[in-house]
Amino acid sequence: MRGLLEALLDWLDERLDLRHWLDVAKKKQVPVHPGSVFYYAGGVCVFLFMVQLVTGILLLMYYRVGADSSYESVRYISSKVAFGWLVRSVHSWGANLMIFFVFVHMFSVFFMRAFRKPRELTWMSGCVLLGVSLAFGFSGYLLPWNELAYFATKVGTDIIGQVPLAGHWLLRLVRGGEDVTGATLSRFFGLHVAVLPAVLSLTMGAHLGFVQLQGMAHEKEAKATMPFFPNFMLRDVMLWLVVINAVAVLAVFFPWDVGKKADALASAPAGIKPEWYFLAQYQFLKLLPARILLIPGELWGVLTLNAVGLFWLLTPFWEAALPESKKDAAVRLAGWGSVALLVAMTLWGALS
Amino acid sequence: MKRALALSLVLPLAAAGRAVFAKDQCVACHASLEGKHKAILRSFETDIHRESGLSCASCHGGDPSKADAAQAMSPEAGFTPAPSPADIPAFCGKCHSDPGTMKKYNPSLPVDQAVKYFTSVHGQRLKKGDDKVATCVSCHTTHAIRPSKDPLSSVYPKNIPQTCGKCHSDPKRMAPYKIPSDQAAKYVRSVHGRALLERGDTAAPVCNTCHGNHGAAPPGVESIGRICGMCHSQNEQFFLSSPMAKPWKSRKYHICATCHTEHGIQHPTPELLSPDKGLCSRCHKPSSEPIRDAAAMRDKLVQMEGAYQSAKSAIFIAEEKGMDMSEARDLWDGSRMSFYQSRTAVHAFRPAKVAEIADKGIEAAQKAKKAADDAVEEFRFRRIGLGVASLLITFLVLAIYLKVRDIESRPS
């Protein structure tokens, strides 16, 4: 067996200079310090994206987009297709865990100040990846065309209509008309299975490329390091296995419900709320009064959320502009403030 | 937009009503009096007539601009005092029987109430000089009249048993008429009463649904089936086509009430067809053919109910485990339909008819139960699969951990 693997490696090495790349990986060092455990979050995000890709392709084999076929095909997948329930539940739970780990990865990078020069582009491409992951969640949520998905999309896209000047035009563009209909479903499907995977793959490629080119932050000042390959890589794989096991447990004990078919004429179910990753924003918008200084409260909310997003995206630049003595305090304040606010607003949204 | 339009129409009317009411000398004078004279004003505050811009003089005539009571309430000014019971239908009918007047206020309201009233037992007796019978104000109140859709109205469906019961539950009052006074008490405990009063289902029948409101009369032998058939149309059709219809007619039996009673109708169970304790044994001899037929129908209904309930429990168990039971639920819905249809088919008094419908339902219920049981089995399989997968993953994680330790224990 070992001989066969060596022969295969030799064959590939002759053609692709594989051993050179393995040497590069072996030379790559990962800093070892109390916060090193957070380095694995990025790897888990990549792994879960792969899981999403594979399960998404499997779902595509049976999913039929359309107001009169989406719900039925998802119901068919969940009840008739062999292991269809597993694939669908793994896709749904995987999506939620992926977004969770993207947040963990982002905050760990923030608190380790790994966004500082020369890693501004790595940080910014990471922010784009967060945005694309959320767009994946939002667009995928509608695809089963059930009651909850329908109303969540209706409320979510209503917010787009609040954008000044272009709001109504954007709303029509996203929905494919005035209301959430089969046209919206087709658009979200196209976005979910073609546009977003392409954007995420390219951005992730660039993001990983930047990491490889620039190496890990704090590598030089770290007291100890470990080789990326195989030491770090094997630990990564261990965590991936634990994560996929956790996803399987969730899929078996909490399979994703198909719900009731979307009905535009029905009233919205009582207590309807968005997915947990939009709850904080939703709660914030809910708190705003109808009008502030004659301008609709929701518009203020949308502008504020966009401003906060831009502020977060430009972290490497505003942090660099601060006096050296205030940098650490500012990062701690912004970081812990954001975590506390997100957790508090999410819990408030969930419990109210 | 619609709300704005409605408000723009209603608000000026209400405002005008209030303005007129404010300058009204009837109001000024009655406000300074005590007791029932003052109470009239308080009750009239929420009256639909006042909301529509009408005042005391609209019904009683007189001159509300005069502060002097004698002038304001003089016969010359057209004043009509509180009418006697015999005059009340005509008094209200001045407007309510006039399509022209009613069009101005509520074109959707019928104008035949007074005509219908005189066809009712109440109206007939009033004509004969009995002034203790119900007239318009007995049910609608005198000065606190609200539309029947208002939950506070005395004629809102949930309040009707109490409104009718004011007189009909009073044994002293009913004694001269030789009619019972327990109808409202029986109704409250009946399947219809519980639906209306406990579940708040305002579509459930109440006194006036069967007796009529303005033309209130007890349904006769001929009409009771028609009245129940307004809602239970299939039961009526089955019964009229059954072998029981003819003897029932010749013996002048009420087609529904003979078995189900009138006011205290209870939820029917298959035991109504029981050979020994059932209703059929009241007339038919034990072990006669009708009793055997009844027993056969009872057995089929019990079988149907058993299959239906068993499928329901199985689906519940599977759903508790997070299994998708939408298909089983569709089948169960079909069996539920058959369950109700087979109970209805009993009124045809043909066991084969009941069996034909019930068997379809039993089959659907059995399929639903099998789907639910299969889902529970599938859930067990999933757990076993998860257990095996978790073991393999744990083994792999351990193997990698040992490999990492091995690598890191070697000198670099």
Side-chain angles (χ1 to χ4, degrees):
Chain A
M1 187 69 183
R2 199 176 176 84
L4 196 68
L5 275 176
E6 284 293 324
L8 184 67
L9 210 59
D10 288 341
W11 190 87
L12 288 170
D13 190 38
E14 268 182 65
R15 284 151 185 86
L16 302 171
D17 198 12
L18 200 65
R19 284 211 161 80
H20 165 73
W21 292 109
L22 278 177
D23 285 343
V24 170
K26 276 179 188 168
K27 276 177 196 152
K28 184 176 157 59
Q29 293 293 312
V30 179
V32 177
H33 54 82
S36 295
V37 67
F38 288 105
Y39 288 143
Y40 299 105
V44 173
C45 294
V46 177
F47 170 69
L48 284 171
F49 177 60
M50 294 303 154
V51 171
Q52 293 306 95
L53 214 60
V54 172
T55 51
I57 289 167
L58 289 173
L59 288 172
L60 262 181
M61 309 264 177
Y62 289 95
Y63 180 76
R64 286 177 291 121
V65 68
D68 49 5
S69 58
S70 286
Y71 177 81
E72 286 73 11
S73 62
V74 172
R75 200 170 138 175
Y76 183 77
I77 290 168
S78 296
S79 57
K80 296 280 176 203
V81 177
F83 293 103
W85 64 272
L86 180 65
V87 174
R88 178 165 179 257
S89 276
V90 167
H91 195 73
S92 303
W93 279 115
N96 279 278
L97 283 180
M98 180 175 149
I99 291 173
F100 173 76
F101 277 104
V102 168
F103 273 109
V104 172
H105 179 53
M106 180 185 74
F107 278 110
S108 62
V109 167
F110 185 86
F111 285 118
M112 285 187 222
R113 284 81 160 161
F115 52 77
R116 284 178 179 166
K117 190 182 171 186
R119 295 184 177 78
E120 295 95 329
L121 286 173
T122 320
W123 169 261
M124 289 169 81
S125 58
C127 287
V128 172
L129 287 172
L130 169 71
V132 176
S133 301
L134 293 175
F136 255 124
F138 188 61
S139 57
Y141 197 64
L142 179 68
L143 300 188
W145 197 241
N146 59 24
E147 207 177 38
L148 285 176
Y150 177 82
F151 286 104
T153 308
K154 208 169 162 60
V155 174
T157 49
D158 270 342
I159 293 166
I160 298 171
Q162 292 296 327
V163 174
L165 302 174
H168 187 243
W169 180 82
L170 276 173
L171 180 84
R172 284 180 55 86
L173 179 78
V174 171
R175 286 185 176 176
E178 292 293 338
D179 292 311
V180 175
T181 60
T184 321
L185 189 57
S186 300
R187 279 167 194 239
F188 275 43
F189 176 68
L191 203 67
H192 193 79
V193 304
V195 180
L196 293 177
V199 174
L200 196 127
S201 302
L202 290 173
T203 316
M204 191 189 276
H207 190 72
L208 294 175
F210 296 149
V211 176
Q212 295 311 312
L213 279 174
Q214 296 165 337
M216 307 289 279
H218 314 298
E219 191 183 320
K220 285 176 186 147
E221 66 261 33
K223 286 177 187 163
T225 59
M226 79 164 83
F228 177 78
F229 187 86
N231 305 42
F232 186 82
M233 190 67 216
L234 285 173
R235 284 182 164 85
D236 241 354
V237 173
M238 270 163 66
L239 184 61
W240 295 357
L241 286 168
V242 171
V243 168
I244 198 69
N245 205 171
V247 171
V249 169
L250 289 169
V252 168
F253 288 101
F254 307 99
W256 218 260
D257 191 18
V258 185
K260 282 187 192 166
K261 188 174 176 172
D263 180 2
L265 299 175
S267 51
I272 186 166
K273 282 173 191 164
E275 284 293 86
W276 64 270
Y277 39 85
F278 290 122
L279 263 180
Q281 296 93 310
Y282 169 75
Q283 185 61 23
F284 169 66
L285 291 174
K286 246 173 56 176
L287 292 176
L288 296 170
R291 288 194 175 269
I292 305 169
L293 299 173
L294 300 174
I295 296 168
E298 268 192 20
L299 177 56
W300 279 109
V302 171
L303 291 174
T304 310
L305 289 173
N306 278 302
V308 170
L310 190 67
F311 175 77
W312 196 250
L313 179 76
L314 298 176
T315 297
F317 305 102
W318 61 254
E319 198 257 1
L322 290 173
E324 203 61 43
S325 60
K326 292 189 176 161
K327 280 183 177 174
D328 274 357
V331 167
R332 268 200 299 274
L333 182 71
W336 287 116
S338 304
V339 171
L341 205 62
L342 269 178
V343 172
M345 294 292 269
T346 303
L347 285 175
W348 192 0
L351 300 173
S352 62
Chain B
M1 184 64 194
K2 277 182 188 164
R3 186 184 289 181
L5 192 66
L7 281 174
S8 67
L9 289 171
V10 169
L11 283 177
L13 207 61
R18 281 202 187 90
V20 168
F21 203 62
K23 290 177 202 160
D24 199 317
Q25 292 303 323
C26 310
V27 176
C29 194
H30 273 262
S32 65
L33 297 171
E34 290 302 322
K36 68 174 187 181
H37 298 292
K38 193 172 186 174
I40 290 172
L41 288 182
R42 246 198 317 275
S43 55
F44 195 58
E45 272 177 10
T46 54
D47 193 289
I48 180 70
H49 299 96
R50 192 200 156 191
E51 295 286 318
S52 306
L54 299 176
S55 66
C56 315
S58 308
C59 297
H60 291 283
D63 186 351
S65 66
K66 295 279 190 299
D68 179 64
Q71 282 185 336
M73 299 195 290
S74 67
E76 293 76 35
F79 179 72
T80 314
S84 68
D87 295 331
I88 287 175
F91 186 82
C92 299
K94 276 189 298 185
C95 297
H96 281 275
S97 299
D98 178 15
T101 307
M102 289 316 295
K103 259 184 203 159
K104 288 183 211 162
Y105 298 99
N106 188 351
S108 66
L109 211 63
V111 288
D112 60 352
Q113 297 99 326
V115 176
K116 276 187 174 171
Y117 174 76
F118 284 111
T119 68
S120 74
V121 173
H122 299 137
Q124 294 283 326
R125 286 192 172 273
L126 187 74
K127 260 189 191 171
K128 288 177 188 164
D130 181 355
D131 63 359
K132 288 192 179 67
V133 295
T135 61
C136 316
V137 296
S138 314
C139 303
H140 291 281
T141 75
T142 314
H143 293 111
I145 301 168
R146 290 169 184 260
S148 61
K149 284 180 184 164
D150 183 337
L152 294 175
S153 165
S154 55
V155 290
Y156 182 71
K158 284 178 91 169
N159 303 329
I160 283 181
Q162 208 182 349
T163 300
C164 297
K166 267 193 309 185
C167 302
H168 283 275
S169 298
D170 181 352
K172 276 187 195 162
R173 195 163 182 155
M174 290 298 115
Y177 304 107
K178 295 189 175 103
I179 55 175
S181 55
D182 59 353
Q183 300 96 322
K186 280 182 176 172
Y187 172 80
V188 167
R189 292 193 299 271
S190 75
V191 67
H192 296 136
R194 288 204 303 272
L196 176 71
L197 304 168
E198 291 173 17
R199 296 210 312 268
D201 180 359
T202 51
V206 65
C207 316
N208 64 318
T209 316
C210 302
H211 293 280
N213 30 35
H214 302 103
V221 170
E222 292 291 332
S223 57
I224 197 165
R226 300 274 172 227
I227 286 169
C228 300
M230 288 191 302
C231 300
H232 302 279
S233 58
Q234 273 206 307
N235 304 43
E236 184 199 3
Q237 291 306 315
F238 277 133
F239 184 85
L240 292 176
S241 65
S242 79
M244 307 292 256
K246 212 173 161 185
W248 232 250
K249 195 173 179 181
S250 65
R251 291 176 196 193
K252 293 194 182 331
Y253 285 170
H254 287 84
I255 70 167
C256 307
T258 303
C259 297
H260 294 284
T261 75
E262 303 93 353
H263 299 105
I265 301 165
Q266 293 301 310
H267 185 74
T269 65
E271 287 314 303
L272 290 179
L273 298 166
S274 167
D276 44 355
K277 295 176 199 157
L279 296 168
C280 311
S281 60
R282 285 189 199 162
C283 303
H284 296 285
K285 286 178 187 160
S287 74
S288 63
E289 195 187 342
I291 290 289
R292 285 201 303 274
D293 283 353
M297 290 192 290
R298 193 268 314 257
D299 293 347
K300 194 49 88 178
L301 289 184
V302 169
Q303 192 189 353
M304 170 77 248
E305 190 168 2
Y308 161 79
Q309 293 294 358
S310 155
K312 188 180 173 185
S313 312
I315 290 172
F316 179 75
I317 291 168
E319 280 179 342
E320 279 240 296
K321 297 188 185 306
M323 303 302 287
D324 176 31
M325 283 286 95
S326 41
E327 205 163 305
R329 278 214 166 266
D330 287 349
L331 282 165
W332 183 73
D333 280 345
S335 82
R336 187 170 59 170
M337 187 64 79
S338 298
F339 173 59
Y340 291 124
Q341 282 175 344
S342 56
R343 286 204 316 199
T344 301
V346 165
H347 298 90
F349 297 100
R350 291 188 185 95
K353 180 81 187 163
V354 175
E356 182 196 338
I357 299 169
D359 284 343
K360 274 186 204 160
I362 291 166
E363 192 187 344
Q366 284 168 343
K367 279 184 185 167
K369 185 177 183 310
K370 187 176 180 315
D373 290 344
D374 287 350
V376 173
E377 196 50 45
E378 163 78 10
F379 180 71
R380 279 196 201 106
F381 168 74
R382 288 180 189 183
R383 279 201 306 183
I384 292 167
L386 177 70
V388 173
S390 298
L391 268 176
L392 279 172
I393 288 172
T394 311
F395 174 75
L396 263 172
V397 170
L398 270 173
I400 295 170
Y401 173 72
L402 292 173
K403 178 76 183 166
V404 170
R405 272 188 58 177
D406 177 50
I407 291 169
E408 290 180 354
S409 64
R410 286 183 215 152
S412 53

